[in-house]
Amino acid sequence: SLVAARALSRRLNARLFFSDVTRLLVDLNRSPHHPKLFSEISGQLGDDEKKYVINKHYLPYRRDVESCISASAAKGTTVLHISVHSFADIINGLRRNADMGLLYDPSRPLEKTLCIQWQKFMKKEYPATRVRRNYPYLGKADGLVTYLRKTFSPEVYIGIELELNRKGKWRNEEHQRMIFNALVSAIRSCRPSFDL
């Protein structure tokens, strides 16, 4: 997913926030009190060690993202935040039927509208790619984007999670270029109104 995030950042000339900290240590996308914030391995760390991990990796990343949004909000700019993740092709023996997922909060009309538009655009420009909305997860599930929605109003913050199948077509370099061209064009179609 970092490969995809870097590519989108370059193509859109957008700010990129990322971390190479493994989820086996701490999941930067989880809420602070989520039971799976630490993995089965790191969950065995002592309280002081966990506090160190939080202060060293978790808080700086999330604060950087939040402060950037706050700065744009102070200028009266609406932020479009695209959070890029990947998902397993098969889980519990079942194959997930999508190459790409667009996650949003249905109660936020603009998020829903954008995802519908992007899905239609992708279907038109690259119909071989299976793009689904709020799949394989719900857009309201626990995560950084959900937290930011609670912090900032819909007029200030638009959060969409882009989920990529780890074994999807985008992994192939040729298909990746075609898919990203279509996705970038879809995002650019609304770009003038937002700060990325």
Side-chain angles (χ1 to χ4, degrees), residues 15-124:
R15 283 158 287 195
L16 175 65
F17 295 90
F18 74 95
S19 174
D20 53 10
V21 174
T22 174
R23 291 169 62 184
L24 294 177
L25 180 62
V26 63
D27 191 336
L28 304 182
N29 196 45
R30 299 289 190 187
S31 295
H33 304 295
H34 194 282
K36 292 186 178 180
L37 176 65
F38 293 97
S39 70
E40 291 183 8
I41 299 171
S42 59
Q44 299 175 35
L45 295 172
D47 290 343
D48 288 344
E49 293 170 309
K50 288 181 178 178
K51 185 176 181 180
Y52 174 81
V53 170
I54 291 292
N55 290 330
K56 176 73 174 177
H57 301 291
Y58 182 85
L59 291 178
Y61 171 77
R62 293 173 70 101
R63 283 173 179 163
D64 283 350
V65 176
E66 188 171 352
S67 64
C68 180
I69 297 170
S70 295
S72 291
K75 296 185 296 185
T77 305
T78 301
V79 172
L80 173 59
H81 176 209
I82 301 172
S83 184
V84 184
H85 307 276
S86 62
F87 63 90
D89 182 48
I90 298 175
I91 190 166
N92 297 327
L94 298 176
R95 185 176 299 278
R96 286 162 157 173
N97 186 28
D99 296 306
M100 181 183 299
L102 299 172
L103 313 188
Y104 60 93
D105 184 342
S107 69
R108 293 201 169 201
L110 190 49
E111 289 184 5
K112 180 177 180 179
T113 298
L114 285 176
C115 286
I116 290 173
Q117 290 176 348
W118 294 357
Q119 183 187 40
K120 288 180 179 177
F121 195 100
M122 291 292 292
K123 185 174 183 179
K124 176 183 177 184

Side-chain angles (χ1 to χ4, degrees), residues 124-136:
K124 176 183 177 184
E125 296 296 318
Y126 197 61
T129 300
R130 297 166 299 172
V131 181
R132 297 182 63 177
R133 291 182 283 115
N134 277 343
Y135 181 92

Side-chain angles (χ1 to χ4, degrees), residues 103-108 111 134 139-141 144-154 157-161:
L103 313 188
Y104 60 93
D105 184 342
S107 69
R108 293 201 169 201
E111 289 184 5
N134 277 343
K140 298 188 295 181
L144 177 58
V145 170
T146 299
Y147 162 76
L148 293 170
R149 289 192 191 110
K150 296 175 182 176
T151 306
F152 300 101
S153 71
Y157 177 78
I158 297 168
I160 293 172
E161 294 177 87

Side-chain angles (χ1 to χ4, degrees), residues 169-184:
K169 297 181 179 71
W170 71 276
R171 300 289 295 187
N172 176 280
E173 189 174 331
E174 179 182 352
H175 288 295
Q176 181 186 98
R177 186 182 71 255
M178 296 165 65
I179 291 170
F180 282 0
N181 282 345
L183 183 58
V184 167

